[in-house]
Amino acid sequence: MFRFLTPVLLCLSLFSAAANAQSVQTLFERGMEAGNAGDYTRAFELVRQAAEGGHAPAQYTLGSMYSFGQGVEPSKGEAMIWFERAASQDHPLALYNLGLYYDLGIGVAQDRTRALEWYRRGAAAGEPQAAYNAGHMMLTADGVARDTAEGLRLIEQSAGAGTADAQVSLGYIFEVGYGVSKDPAKALDYYARAERNNLGGAGDKRLALASSVLEEGIALELDGHGADALRLQDLACRYGQFYACYNAGRLRFQGRLVPRDVDGALESLRVACDRLLDVACRMSAVAALSAADATPADREHSSFYLGQLCQARDPRACHNLAVISMSPAFGTPDPDAAMKLLARSCIELDFFVSCEPYYAIYNSSLPQPSAGSASGMSILEEGVLAILSVAARGVSALSATGSYSSGAYGGYSAFSPPSTTTYTAYSPADKANFSNFMDSVRYPTVQCRPGNPYC
């Protein structure tokens, strides 16, 4: 008879434990309902019963109620007791709060070493704010030994969980090379993520760094380093510096320091033109004439924009409109319209580039239209288009060279491209600089600004 007793008792024990767990959960839920309704006295009694029954969320909540004096006289000592009980069950927020108590000396003597222990346990339990605080302490040696690698890992863990303070901190870390190699691409990415999380100052940091990257790109271009210049202009463009989008398009369209890429140029110029940068709209109108990836909207923009410029007596625009008049991509070729535009550009506006195709066509002895060619155009039409294409080569609605643009930012920054140098020497001002930086981004939040790729 006794051989079945232990299993029965075990089943009864399991049933009792399950019933108790259900009971304390019910008490906790009822307590939360009372608290949400504003009845803190009732909430405190229900939560206390659940906490005494070993319910970790209730123990943490009871500690919070003692801490803030909700339904009970405030007592940091009692709060800490219940936080410790919840922490013994690895409750993430309880672990974080204990770290905070020791970090700030709330109800106990300040002890940064113990604070770090609790923060790291909280980070291991998945609390992102605990991970950020631990990482910040270790990176800046704030009352504990410096551990750059572990500090950075913990801040990155917090940032990955969406903590805006951690994201903007990493932006600063990678911008200035705080214990790591400078990496403007990572810095911009983290600033943009923090801005997306409505940390107001992050948007200013993003745009300021993107503008510095633009300036460095111009400096590299002037030194003849086209590929590096283009890489930085593309980076600045991606993070909302729209003058950099124009510069990237210009470099590709000109094809002097990097291989000519009209389609790539048009893609960058579209972005800048959408932000009403007139210089980009002009160049995109010309790029659309020969870009294989030009859309109907691009061609419509090109015809409209060049038409306005031609009316304003821009000879290059009139010349390019003649190209449009003869391009099958823009509709049925119109030699008469092309002739009139070339005549205006050459004779009225003294643009010599248009004179050669104009007089060549005017004095042409080409035969009259025959059955046509393989392209479906007449020999005369093909001849006009060929002459125009040669004459138009290198001609833009700007000038033959284009111009640099840095928007409202003048001069060159002290920003340097990414290096492989790891900065391990810290000055006494490092911690203060980091704190000042964090203070600079903590003003009332704003919505994401245009140009943030995460918005």
Side-chain angles (χ1 to χ4, degrees), residues 180-232:
V180 298
S181 299
K182 289 183 179 181
D183 191 330
K186 285 186 176 181
L188 286 165
D189 184 71
Y190 280 118
Y191 283 148
R193 290 175 185 270
E195 182 187 4
R196 178 67 181 84
N197 282 328
N198 288 327
L199 187 62
D204 292 337
K205 302 299 180 183
R206 169 183 60 82
L207 187 57
L209 178 55
S211 298
S212 294
V213 172
L214 175 151
E215 300 274 356
E216 184 65 21
I218 292 176
L220 288 169
E221 181 182 353
L222 293 174
D223 288 339
H225 302 293
D228 288 335
L230 180 59
R231 175 177 54 80
L232 291 183

Side-chain angles (χ1 to χ4, degrees), residues 95-369:
L95 293 164
Y96 165 69
N97 276 3
L98 287 171
L100 201 63
Y101 271 41
Y102 281 104
D103 191 0
L104 302 179
I106 300 174
V108 294
Q110 188 179 52
D111 188 333
R112 292 292 177 79
T113 300
R114 293 198 68 182
L116 179 60
E117 292 173 358
W118 287 114
Y119 282 147
R120 295 192 72 175
R121 284 187 59 185
E127 171 49 43
Q129 191 63 48
Y132 171 68
N133 285 5
H136 186 279
M137 291 177 73
M138 299 176 79
L139 187 69
T140 61
D142 187 6
V144 298
R146 188 187 309 279
D147 187 335
T148 300
E150 181 63 7
L152 185 63
R153 185 193 70 78
L154 286 165
I155 295 176
E156 287 176 334
Q157 174 185 324
S158 181
T163 305
D165 278 350
Q167 292 165 338
V168 80
S169 294
L170 287 169
Y172 174 82
I173 287 165
F174 284 109
E175 179 181 358
V176 304
Y178 191 91
V180 298
S181 299
K182 289 183 179 181
D183 191 330
K186 285 186 176 181
L188 286 165
D189 184 71
Y190 280 118
Y191 283 148
R193 290 175 185 270
E195 182 187 4
R196 178 67 181 84
N197 282 328
N198 288 327
L199 187 62
D204 292 337
K205 302 299 180 183
R206 169 183 60 82
L207 187 57
L209 178 55
S211 298
S212 294
V213 172
L214 175 151
E215 300 274 356
E216 184 65 21
I218 292 176
L220 288 169
E221 181 182 353
L222 293 174
D223 288 339
H225 302 293
D228 288 335
L230 180 59
R231 175 177 54 80
L232 291 183
Q233 296 294 353
D234 279 338
L235 177 61
C237 172
R238 189 159 63 249
Y239 287 95
Q241 212 333 324
F242 300 114
Y243 288 95
C245 302
Y246 160 71
N247 286 335
R250 174 182 54 77
L251 282 164
R252 289 185 171 95
F253 187 67
Q254 292 171 343
R256 291 201 315 268
L257 295 178
V258 297
R260 194 163 195 261
D261 178 4
V262 178
D263 289 304
L266 182 58
E267 183 177 351
S268 298
L269 293 168
R270 279 193 202 109
V271 178
C273 183
D274 285 345
R275 297 296 169 179
L276 304 180
L277 299 186
D278 185 69
V279 67
C281 293
R282 292 187 177 204
M283 188 169 280
S284 67
V286 179
L289 301 182
S290 55
D293 292 340
T295 66
D298 290 326
R299 296 189 180 100
E300 182 179 353
H301 159 77
S302 184
S303 298
F304 173 77
Y305 205 87
L306 292 175
Q308 285 189 320
L309 292 173
C310 183
Q311 287 294 323
R313 300 179 63 80
D314 185 325
R316 292 181 177 85
C318 295
H319 181 99
N320 286 326
L321 275 177
V323 176
I324 287 176
S325 297
M326 290 304 300
S327 172
F330 286 80
T332 303
D334 188 346
D336 289 337
M339 282 287 294
K340 291 176 183 178
L341 288 163
L342 288 170
R344 184 181 190 198
S345 181
C346 169
I347 300 171
E348 182 183 343
L349 302 177
D350 296 322
F351 188 55
F352 75 92
V353 175
S354 296
C355 296
E356 181 180 355
Y358 171 69
Y359 286 116
I361 297 171
Y362 183 79
N363 296 314
S364 176
S365 60
L366 292 173
Q368 293 299 313

